[in-house]
């Protein structure tokens, strides 16, 4: 998360279509500078070689980044058969070769094994910390990094195109923490082939689809016209899958002061019925709800036993 001592109090989300060849941190810094925003963060890092949806949070929206990161994501990616690399993409060194070129029938038969909750080993070249250091930094120094398997969820995986014998284009819908490069590596291994990702594009993150995103050139043009804030989505955009409850100005004041409020019995019952399993930053968020006044976010609160206790408070006017 990036902070500045100077700048404006800008609150909300910007959906960026990140270009290839740029890090997520650089993309965030560029847009933060265009907005002259004090505080900013992004939801879900995209590799420099990847393009597509990168949600950027500004001001009070940074308090909801965890919700956006936990949202479902969609990808479209191209796998080239014949070579595996140490980074599982085109930027890595070749580690193995093969003449195997799986046909459509074989590919489609292999995909169901990768749908649902699966064990996935992240690539060595990833931002995961190993012994206190980013894995990719260790890998770049030539160290062998032992990555542990993690449980991840793939909701759907399909073969979209097969342009030629050497390449296949896939589309995937998945949850938090899925590495597409690892998915491609494991698909190739299941087919008795070698393969790596050559093109990777994220097409959706939660409520943001690629069609809604803005390029850096578009944002720069809007900034020059003093219209950049027009593309900001509300702070609560990342909270569209948790219940919302309207509160009075008096209750809003109490929540902002860190005090719990009493819910009307009808509201308490509705929130209890809408509770669903959810973990945010290691905390049980199954009963969290958004309190608002006339559509302006006031706080995220934990609603239990007829009361709401503030968990995160928003300072919006």
């Amino acid at each position: 998360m990036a902070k500045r001592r100077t700048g404006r109090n800008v609150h909300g989300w910007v959906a960026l279509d990140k270009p290839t060849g740029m890090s997520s941190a650089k993309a965030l810094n560029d847009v933060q500078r265009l907005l002259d925003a004090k505080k900013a963060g992004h939801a879900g890092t995209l590799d420099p070689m990847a393009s597509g949806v990168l949600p950027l949070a500004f001001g009070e929206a940074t308090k909801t980044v965890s919700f956006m990161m936990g949202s479902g994501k969609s990808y479209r990616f191209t796998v080239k058969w014949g070579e595996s690399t140490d980074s599982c993409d085109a930027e890595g060194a070749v580690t193995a070769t093969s003449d195997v070129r799986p046909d459509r029938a074989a590919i489609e038969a292999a995909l169901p094994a990768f749908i649902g909750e699966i064990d996935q080993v992240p690539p060595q070249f990833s931002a995961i910390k190993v012994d206190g250091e980013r894995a990719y930094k260790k890998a770049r120094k030539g160290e062998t990094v032992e990555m542990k398997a993690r449980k991840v969820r793939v909701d759907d995986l399909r073969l979209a195109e097969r342009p030629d014998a050497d390449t296949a284009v896939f589309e995937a819908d998945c949850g938090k923490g899925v590495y597409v490069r690892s998915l491609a590596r494991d698909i190739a291994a299941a087919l008795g082939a070698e393969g790596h990702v050559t093109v990777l594009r994220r097409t959706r993150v939660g409520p943001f689809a690629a069609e809604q995103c803005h390029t850096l050139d578009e944002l720069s043009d809007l900034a020059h016209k003093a219209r950049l804030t027009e593309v900001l989505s509300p702070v609560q955009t990342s909270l569209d899958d948790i219940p919302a409850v309207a509160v009075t100005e008096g209750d809003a004041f109490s929540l902002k002061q860190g005090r719990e409020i009493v819910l009307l019995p009808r509201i308490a019952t509705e929130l209890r019925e809408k509770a669903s399993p959810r973990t945010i930053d290691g905390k049980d968020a199954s009963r969290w709800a958004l309190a608002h006044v006339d559509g302006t976010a006031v706080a995220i609160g934990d609603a239990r036993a007829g009361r709401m206790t503030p968990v995160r408070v928003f300072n919006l006017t």
Side-chain angles (χ1 to χ4, degrees), residues 184-240:
R185 174 201 65 202
D186 296 342
I187 291 171
L191 291 165
E194 303 294 340
H196 66 274
V197 172
T198 56
V199 179
L200 174 58
R201 180 167 177 77
R202 189 157 65 192
T203 57
R204 181 182 64 87
V205 177
F208 293 124
E211 296 76 21
Q212 302 168 272
C213 292
H214 302 274
T215 65
L216 283 171
D217 285 342
E218 290 170 346
L219 295 177
S220 180
D221 182 60
L222 288 170
H224 287 310
K225 297 175 181 177
R227 294 177 50 198
L228 186 52
T229 55
E230 294 178 13
V231 305
L232 281 169
S233 296
V235 166
Q236 60 264 37
T237 298
S238 58
L239 307 176
D240 63 347

Side-chain angles (χ1 to χ4, degrees), residues 122-124 126-138 145-148 150 179:
Q124 288 191 90
S126 65
I128 294 174
K129 285 190 175 181
V130 177
D131 297 329
E133 188 176 3
R134 301 291 183 185
Y136 70 82
K137 290 185 178 180
K138 287 178 170 286
V145 186
E146 185 177 346
M147 307 299 293
K148 296 181 179 179
R150 307 185 302 171
Y179 277 90

Side-chain angles (χ1 to χ4, degrees), residues 17 22 61 65 79 90 112 117 131 143-144 170 177 179 187 207 233 240 257 263 266 305 308:
D17 188 340
M22 177 180 286
V65 164
V79 174
E117 188 176 69
D131 297 329
E143 297 181 29
T144 299
F170 298 89
Y179 277 90
I187 291 171
S233 296
D240 63 347
Q257 295 299 308
L263 300 169
R266 174 180 59 82
M308 175 179 279

Side-chain angles (χ1 to χ4, degrees), residues 51-295:
S51 67
V53 183
L54 181 63
L56 306 177
F58 297 93
E60 293 297 277
T62 59
K63 296 177 180 178
T64 70
V65 164
S66 297
F67 289 86
M68 188 70 77
M69 291 181 68
S71 298
K73 301 173 180 63
S74 297
Y75 297 89
R76 185 179 175 91
F77 59 102
T78 301
V79 174
K80 179 181 178 182
W81 309 115
E83 294 179 342
S84 291
T85 69
D86 55 6
S87 61
C88 304
D89 61 28
E91 296 182 347
V94 175
T95 57
T97 61
S98 170
D99 293 330
V100 176
R101 300 294 186 271
D103 59 24
R104 174 177 287 273
I107 294 171
E108 291 181 336
L111 297 186
F114 297 95
I115 298 175
E117 188 176 69
I118 62 174
D119 290 317
Q120 185 182 73
V121 178
Q124 288 191 90
F125 288 84
S126 65
I128 294 174
K129 285 190 175 181
V130 177
D131 297 329
E133 188 176 3
R134 301 291 183 185
Y136 70 82
K137 290 185 178 180
K138 287 178 170 286
R140 285 174 180 169
K141 291 187 291 186
E143 297 181 29
T144 299
V145 186
E146 185 177 346
M147 307 299 293
K148 296 181 179 179
R150 307 185 302 171
K151 293 285 186 183
V152 296
R153 190 189 78 253
V154 177
D155 298 310
D156 194 19
L157 177 62
R158 52 203 174 271
L159 176 63
E161 297 178 34
R162 192 166 179 270
D164 51 56
D166 291 328
T167 56
V169 181
F170 298 89
E171 292 175 342
D173 302 321
C174 54
K176 179 182 178 181
V178 172
Y179 277 90
V180 173
R181 288 178 291 144
S182 291
L183 194 58
R185 174 201 65 202
D186 296 342
I187 291 171
L191 291 165
E194 303 294 340
H196 66 274
V197 172
T198 56
V199 179
L200 174 58
R201 180 167 177 77
R202 189 157 65 192
T203 57
R204 181 182 64 87
V205 177
F208 293 124
E211 296 76 21
Q212 302 168 272
C213 292
H214 302 274
T215 65
L216 283 171
D217 285 342
E218 290 170 346
L219 295 177
S220 180
D221 182 60
L222 288 170
H224 287 310
K225 297 175 181 177
R227 294 177 50 198
L228 186 52
T229 55
E230 294 178 13
V231 305
L232 281 169
S233 296
V235 166
Q236 60 264 37
T237 298
S238 58
L239 307 176
D240 63 347
D241 65 342
I242 71 170
V245 56
V247 298
T248 66
E249 292 284 358
D251 282 345
F253 180 80
S254 293
L255 289 170
K256 288 185 177 182
Q257 295 299 308
R259 299 195 298 267
E260 67 177 23
I261 62 172
V262 177
L263 300 169
L264 292 172
R266 174 180 59 82
I267 299 299
T269 299
E270 290 178 357
L271 293 179
R272 185 170 59 251
E273 292 174 346
K274 292 178 180 178
S276 60
R278 180 183 292 105
T279 300
I280 299 295
D281 294 335
K283 299 178 181 178
D284 175 17
S286 58
R287 291 177 179 263
W288 288 9
L290 170 68
H292 68 89
V293 173
D294 296 329

